[in-house]
Every structure is written in structure tokens, then in C-alpha cells.
Amino acid sequence: RMFPDEQSHRQAVMRKEVAGAVLTEPISGWQYFEAMLPRTIEAIFNVEHPVVKEQGTRAAIISGDSLPEKVSLAVVTTPQLRSFGDDLVARWKSQNIDASLRLIDDAKLRQETIPKRDYDVLIYGVDQGVEPDPFRFWHSSQAIEAGLNLAQLKDPDLDRLLEAARLIVNDAERFEKYGEIEKKIDELSVRILLKTMTITYQVSRKIKGVEEPLMINPASRYNLVWKWYTNERRVHKTEDGGQKTD
């Protein structure tokens, strides 16, 4: 059985549909592609919780500095993302941080834990979609029960940048503004980027016309499959400008 990505395999393991996996090397003579997906795994600080409310504390945690006083953090994630939580908890022990990892199934996380913002740190998969508009993740208006501002961040300067980006029609200028927004978010020390998701796939060299499409999810690699072909014909131009095939 083949899986489109690592997370799908992990979910199948958790459901006991498979017992393990076999890693394969690139197939000799095949076309090899590696594409970045608009999905990241992030550790997001809940800035409304007293233990991580101060930007200086969050910055020290992110930079790897040892804290002067012991801090206890409740880290929440799903079983599928447990490996990221285990790595983070182990790393923080050396920084005088007593971090506990709580695993919650995806349905309960979405329906109860996230709306209540019941965590100090949330390890979560963030899907950017076709348009990587960060407004829904970081604007103060989204720091509500039904919103996606999981950090509960409320920063007026960031709000102004997010609002300005939505008014820019030119793609190049808008994406330049997105760069400013990302820099501002990093300055506020509200998240740790743990992984940018990628997908690798291989296609036989017998297949021609393979192009790398815009990747939204693992299935996107098939979006241009209609351009693939295997058979070719030799076409000759005639004297009158027409064509004939062999």
C-alpha cells in the first residue's frame, strides 16, 4: 500500500491499518520530484496564558536560552504529531522548562481544546491554502473561539500590516507585504516553525510532458496529468503549409 505523505501513513498506523513502512530509494531511470506544500507544523504559544505572556520569555525559549526560573508548560497536540511534541519537550528540559505533553484526538482538539484555547503551547498543522493570506491566523479579530488566531495575539502594528496586505491587488507587491508580516510575527516570538511539509514522487521516464503543478496538497501532483503522454508521432510540414504524419 502506498501513502501520499508521511502524515497519512502515521494515521494509518494509529488506526492499525498497517504495521509499518518500507522506505524506498529513488528508482534508477525515473524522474524524481520534490515539492513544497503550503503546510507547516508549528508550535504556537498562547500569549494570553501568564507563563508565556511576556515576549522576552517566549524569545528566550525560542532561542534556546536557559530560563532563570523554572517554567512549566502544557504542550498539546494530536497523536499524529506526537514525535514533534516529544522532540520539543526533550529540548526544553535543558532550558529549565518542565514541559508536559498532552495528546488529544483530532476531533476533540478542534471541538473543545482549540475553542477554549486550553494550552500553553499548541503543536498544530497550519494549512496556508492557495493564497497564503496570514490575516486569518494573526489578526486580532480572529482571536475568538471560532477564529484561527491560535496564539490569541493582539498587536496593533501587525493588524495594520495584515489589513494593508488585503488591499494590494498586485501579486508581487502583496507577497512583498507578506514578507514584512512574517518578519513582524517572528519579532513577536509567538511560534516555532518545526517543519515545512514536502512531498516526493517519481514518474517513469517513458512518460513525457510531466510538469510540476502548483502544490496545494499531495493530490495536486496529478493536476497536470492531462498533459502526460507516452506515444509520439513524427509530423512533416508540406509545401502548402499543411502537415502530414508518418
Side-chain angles (χ1 to χ4, degrees), residues 68-123:
E69 297 182 3
K70 194 162 190 174
V71 169
S72 296
L73 292 180
V75 182
V76 173
T77 192
T78 61
Q80 292 86 352
L81 300 180
R82 177 173 185 167
S83 61
F84 296 99
D86 288 338
D87 291 345
L88 205 56
V89 168
R91 184 199 313 175
W92 282 347
K93 283 183 179 179
S94 64
Q95 294 177 241
N96 205 24
I97 300 171
D98 181 18
S100 61
L101 182 63
R102 183 157 53 105
L103 301 179
I104 301 175
D105 68 75
D106 191 63
K108 184 176 181 180
L109 186 77
R110 294 173 183 270
Q111 295 169 10
E112 298 180 20
T113 308
I114 288 179
K116 295 177 181 177
R117 302 299 196 264
D118 186 20
Y119 48 81
D120 296 325
V121 181
L122 175 68
I123 297 177

Side-chain angles (χ1 to χ4, degrees), residues 21-227:
V22 176
L23 300 178
T24 58
E25 295 296 325
I27 302 173
S28 177
W30 283 45
Q31 304 172 75
Y32 180 87
F33 299 91
E34 182 173 4
M36 185 178 296
L37 299 173
R39 176 180 173 82
T40 55
I41 308 299
E42 301 180 9
I44 303 169
F45 293 94
N46 183 351
V47 300
E48 287 297 313
H49 278 206
V51 67
V52 287
K53 191 175 184 68
E54 296 298 324
Q55 189 273 339
T57 300
R58 301 194 303 270
I61 293 173
I62 293 172
S63 64
D65 296 338
S66 181
L67 301 184
E69 297 182 3
K70 194 162 190 174
V71 169
S72 296
L73 292 180
V75 182
V76 173
T77 192
T78 61
Q80 292 86 352
L81 300 180
R82 177 173 185 167
S83 61
F84 296 99
D86 288 338
D87 291 345
L88 205 56
V89 168
R91 184 199 313 175
W92 282 347
K93 283 183 179 179
S94 64
Q95 294 177 241
N96 205 24
I97 300 171
D98 181 18
S100 61
L101 182 63
R102 183 157 53 105
L103 301 179
I104 301 175
D105 68 75
D106 191 63
K108 184 176 181 180
L109 186 77
R110 294 173 183 270
Q111 295 169 10
E112 298 180 20
T113 308
I114 288 179
K116 295 177 181 177
R117 302 299 196 264
D118 186 20
Y119 48 81
D120 296 325
V121 181
L122 175 68
I123 297 177
Y124 200 65
V126 179
D127 292 299
Q128 304 290 344
V130 178
E131 173 69 32
D133 179 9
F135 184 100
R136 62 191 186 277
F137 299 115
W138 300 108
H139 195 272
S140 60
S141 66
Q142 303 304 302
I144 56 177
E145 185 172 303
L148 288 175
N149 185 340
L150 304 178
Q152 299 199 88
L153 181 66
K154 298 173 184 176
D155 184 84
D157 292 336
L158 179 58
D159 281 352
R160 282 190 286 271
L161 289 172
L162 292 164
E163 291 160 8
R166 286 200 155 186
L167 299 177
I168 300 174
V169 177
N170 181 275
D171 288 346
E173 293 178 5
R174 187 171 65 258
F175 275 76
E176 183 178 349
K177 182 65 71 173
Y178 287 163
E180 293 181 38
I181 291 170
E182 289 298 311
K183 183 178 178 181
K184 180 63 176 178
I185 293 169
D186 290 340
E187 290 175 356
L188 293 170
S189 307
V190 290
R191 67 176 178 189
I192 301 174
L193 179 61
L194 301 176
K195 184 175 183 178
T196 298
M197 305 303 290
T198 60
I199 182 173
T200 59
Y201 58 100
Q202 301 177 67
V203 182
S204 170
R205 290 195 181 279
K206 294 179 181 179
I207 299 177
K208 311 295 183 181
V210 180
E211 300 178 15
E212 295 189 49
L214 175 65
M215 298 296 293
I216 305 302
N217 54 52
S220 298
R221 64 190 186 277
Y222 298 118
N223 284 353
L224 298 179
V225 71
W226 58 274
K227 290 187 175 183

